[in-house]
Structures are given as C-alpha cells and as structure tokens.
Amino acid sequence: MDDPRRAVPRTDAVLADARLVVATERLGRAHVKRAVVATLQRVRAGALAPDAAVEEVLRALQSPPGSMRPVINATGVVLHTNLGRASLSDGAREAVLRASGYTDVEYDLVTGERARRGRGALDALRRAVPDAGDAMIANNGAAALVLATTGLAGGREVIVSRGEMVEIGDGFRLPDLIASTGARLREVGTTNRVRVSDYADAIGPHTGCILKVHPSNFRIEGFTSSVDVAELAGLGVPVVADIGSGLLAPDPLLPDEPDAATALRAGADLVTCSADKLLGGPQGGLLLGSAELVGRLRRHPLARALRVDKLALAAIEATLDGPTTPTWSALHADADGLRARCDEVVAALADVVEAEVVPSAGAVGGGGAPGLVLDGWAVAVPADLVVALRTGDPAVVGRVERGRCLLDLRCVPQADDRLVQQAILAAATL
C-alpha cells in the first residue's frame, strides 16, 4: 500500500494556487503560509482530504491578520481595562482609517514645510479645555506624568501625600514611576490625613513641584483629610494635578471625579490624565496647563520618546470634535431602556434557553469612580454557557454572579443585541 503522506501536497504547490496568490497580495505571504502549514498538518493527520486543502486555507483566511479578536462587552464595566478600555466612536474609527496611510501629521500642505505634529488634535483639545493655555499629548497617562515630573523636578524633589501613593494596573506603582525620572519623592502627611501645613513645611530649595494625585481606583473613608488644588496653588511652587480618568469638565453623574477645567481654574499649573478612559478616546496621555510650562515640556528631550502616534492623534481629534462617544452613552444609559432591550432578548430565547431579566450593578471601570454603581439590567443565563460565549464568534464576555452568567447590555450597541441573542443560542446548542 502506498504511503498516504505521498498524497499531501507540497507547501509551495498550495501557495502557487491562483486563489492563494491573490490572497497573498492582500494579506501577506507570512500570514497565508501559516494558514497553509496548519491546514497541511490536518491533511497529514487524516482529518482533511488533500484535495480540500486550498478551500480550507481560503476559509481560514476569511479572518483578517492579527491575533486580537473583537469582543462584545456584556460585563457592565464601561472602561474594562482587559478589553481595551474605551470603545471608539464611529467618527474616531473613520479618522484612524484615514490616517493609516500617508497624512499631513506634521506637514503643511500650503507651504510645503514641516508643521507642528498633530496640530488638529491639539487645537481640539484646547477648544475642549479653554482654561488651558496650551496642551500636549503623550502616548499614555503614565507617560504624561513621567514627562511632567521629569521636566519640573528631574533631580529634585516631588512632594506628594502618603495617601496618594497609588498603584495602578499590573503592579505599576507611582513611587517607582517618579523615581525612574531621577526625581526624589518627598512624602508628607499620613495615609489617611494630610494638611496644607505638611506641604508648606516640606517646601525647600530642592523642591521641583507638588504632585496632587487623584486616587481613582480606591477610596479612603472615615477619619480623613486632604488638601485641594486651590490651597496647594498658594504655596508658591508648581502644582501638577494628576486627575487620572480624563474627565475634561464636570459631569453630574460623577460628582467625586476631578476634572481638568476645574483643576486649572483652581490654580493647577499642569493637569495630566488619560485619553482612553472617561474621554472615550484611544490610549494617550493629556497634558494641559500654562503655555510656558507646556512649551518647556514640549522641548524636553524625553518628549520625543513619549510622543503619541498619528493614529491616536486622529482618533483623539475625532473623539473631541465628533459624535457622542460609546463611553458617554454607556455611562448615561437609561435603565428603563436597558430593561426593555433585555426583555426582547429573553423573549427571543423562550423555550430554548433558561433566561430571565435581573437587576445589574454596572461600574465605570478603568480606575474611575470607585464605588459608583450604575444601576441597570442584565440577561441571566446558565453559568455553564460562559466559556462557550467567550470562545464563540462573536466572543461575548459577561460576568458570573450567584451561579448565573449575567449579560449586561449597557456597553453593547443596541444594533448588536441580536448578535448577543444568537451567541446565547449557539452556546446553548453546543
């Protein structure tokens, strides 16, 4: 009997198929070759007929290159860090696509000379926060803070309250971040209480700045006291306010979240925050403050290493000037509207899946507004569907509570409700 492996086509022969030649031009040889190799492995194992190899490769190539998969966020957490935080608006997505080729990111089409990088995004940011004399964008919130403390206090002291020595995601700690800039931390007060006199007593000839950090991912309650920006601004040294979550103006829904406009009016010399949280934009770090100070930071050598790319610049501009963001819509979603949508999904599952509509406590997430509960509703299905939902197509990520999988529609575009319904039915029939 002939060796069945003789029937397995060669890799180069499969790649030479006219249909795969076209696919290679569109997707790249490396991506197509990986699909061919994986398919031929199945042929060798006897799981696929040799003459079906090309069709199977074409089927596998229907998914675009890249390992990241789109996810339907049914967790009820608006800024879910593990799911990429803010979901971009349609306008921002279109802006990213336009900016993906050659663009005038730092080129003046009229004069033919170099222009300020990302000037459209910077203009939009200044319009959004008119209290800022100037603005700058770094590649994330931590980068913005690093640039601010390096430019103001490199080799000198940064005064910060012990109660604001926060740890952000994945184990990164504020003290380590600032120490990496060459600045020295001068801690004042205690974990739960700090007074303006503590800051004043710490100020000396080696002081570079005072850093006011919003502890956005935790709360200290009880016997506490803190010092606001206005009091710190009267001490005669630069004040950097790291507000964290990127709220540019007050929002009644988030009364305890500091915002950039209020901090600047209170006397902060510089405000830093993230762009991919409450602003609802892409990853980026915003620096807002006096024209002199921002100009100094823009000229700092570190600014080049921390600068943001053209795609993020395009998305930030469109986020500021474009339509309502998915983040804002999810935060302000009407509870009655969410219940009506859940009712429709449950009705479509009748007699197939055991499902009901239950109250759901949503959250801001992303280290913003800790303790704030976003009242809403969710579709509750059996907990044993959770893995099938996560690994299905599309992937639907919910949360497990009290032995049930809850699918909160707060962060799900209404147009995707049918996809959630279909995903539940598919998971239940596996």
Side-chain angles (χ1 to χ4, degrees):
M1 183 180 295
D2 291 338
D3 188 337
R5 289 174 295 182
R6 293 181 181 275
V8 179
R10 299 194 318 274
T11 299
D12 58 347
V14 177
L15 285 168
D17 185 283
R19 292 167 294 175
L20 293 186
V21 170
V22 173
T24 298
E25 293 174 352
R26 180 171 59 91
L27 301 172
R29 180 177 176 83
H31 181 62
V32 174
K33 185 175 180 179
R34 281 194 297 270
V36 170
V37 170
T39 299
L40 293 182
Q41 281 292 102
R42 295 180 59 198
V43 174
R44 291 187 185 93
L48 186 70
D51 58 2
V54 173
E55 290 294 339
E56 180 62 17
V57 172
L58 290 170
R59 188 198 64 76
L61 292 175
Q62 290 177 0
S63 299
S67 61
M68 284 193 290
R69 292 182 55 195
V71 168
I72 292 179
N73 177 13
T75 65
V77 179
V78 179
L79 300 170
H80 198 303
T81 297
N82 302 135
L83 301 182
R85 291 186 180 164
S87 177
L88 296 182
S89 68
D90 289 342
R93 295 183 190 198
E94 292 174 7
V96 169
L97 184 60
R98 287 197 304 273
S100 61
Y102 293 119
T103 181
D104 62 343
V105 60
E106 51 182 289
Y107 182 75
D108 189 321
L109 295 172
V110 175
T111 65
E113 297 177 350
R114 186 172 186 150
R116 172 165 290 183
R117 183 179 180 84
R119 56 203 177 279
L122 295 174
D123 287 344
L125 190 53
R126 284 188 287 264
R127 288 193 297 270
V129 190
D131 293 283
D134 203 352
M136 188 175 173
I137 305 173
N139 54 28
N140 58 37
L145 183 56
V146 163
L147 181 59
T149 53
T150 303
L152 287 173
R156 296 192 292 167
E157 290 183 346
V158 175
I159 300 175
V160 64
S161 167
R162 285 190 174 89
E164 297 173 3
M165 303 281 280
V166 302
E167 179 177 307
I168 57 178
D170 202 24
F172 289 96
R173 295 179 172 179
L174 179 70
D176 298 336
L177 194 68
I178 294 175
S180 71
T181 71
R184 299 188 303 276
L185 278 174
R186 180 73 179 271
E187 302 172 27
V188 298
T190 62
T191 301
N192 59 318
R193 292 179 68 82
V194 64
R195 302 176 179 86
V196 68
S197 59
D198 294 323
Y199 289 94
D201 292 344
I203 293 174
H206 301 297
T207 300
C209 67
I210 293 174
L211 176 60
K212 174 70 177 174
V213 180
H214 174 54
S216 57
N217 55 4
F218 69 95
R219 292 187 302 176
I220 299 178
E221 298 179 342
F223 187 59
T224 65
S225 67
S226 61
V227 183
D228 60 30
V229 169
E231 292 179 280
L232 296 176
L235 296 179
V237 297
V239 175
V240 177
D242 180 45
I243 63 172
S245 295
L247 193 63
L248 299 187
D251 187 333
L253 178 69
L254 307 166
D256 297 326
E257 280 294 304
D259 66 275
T262 300
L264 289 168
R265 286 197 294 269
D269 296 279
L270 191 71
V271 170
T272 64
C273 59
S274 296
D276 54 342
K277 295 184 180 181
L278 293 176
L279 178 61
Q283 177 175 296
L286 310 182
L287 298 98
L288 301 148
S290 70
E292 185 278 328
L293 182 53
V294 173
R296 192 198 318 174
L297 296 179
R298 184 176 285 118
R299 294 187 295 272
H300 194 283
L302 193 58
R304 176 60 181 255
L306 302 178
R307 76 177 187 180
V308 69
D309 80 307
K310 63 177 181 177
L311 303 182
L313 287 170
I316 289 172
E317 181 178 359
T319 297
L320 291 164
D321 283 349
T324 299
T325 65
T327 296
W328 193 95
S329 298
L331 288 173
H332 298 83
D334 174 65
D336 291 338
L338 291 173
R339 176 159 194 172
R341 291 170 57 193
C342 289
D343 284 336
E344 290 186 12
V345 172
V346 169
L349 301 174
D351 303 324
V352 181
V353 181
E354 181 183 343
E356 63 175 323
V357 179
V358 298
S360 178
V364 175
L372 177 66
V373 175
L374 303 175
D375 293 323
W377 299 86
V379 175
V381 297
D384 58 9
L385 299 183
V386 66
V387 175
L389 286 166
R390 283 203 311 259
T391 56
D393 187 14
V396 179
V397 180
R399 69 181 193 271
V400 175
E401 284 186 6
R402 299 179 181 178
R404 296 179 298 183
C405 175
L406 302 191
L407 301 174
D408 189 320
L409 301 184
R410 175 178 295 277
C411 307
V412 180
Q414 189 166 356
D416 288 349
D417 286 358
R418 183 173 294 276
L419 292 177
V420 173
Q421 168 198 320
Q422 292 170 347
I424 297 171
L425 291 171
T429 56
L430 287 178

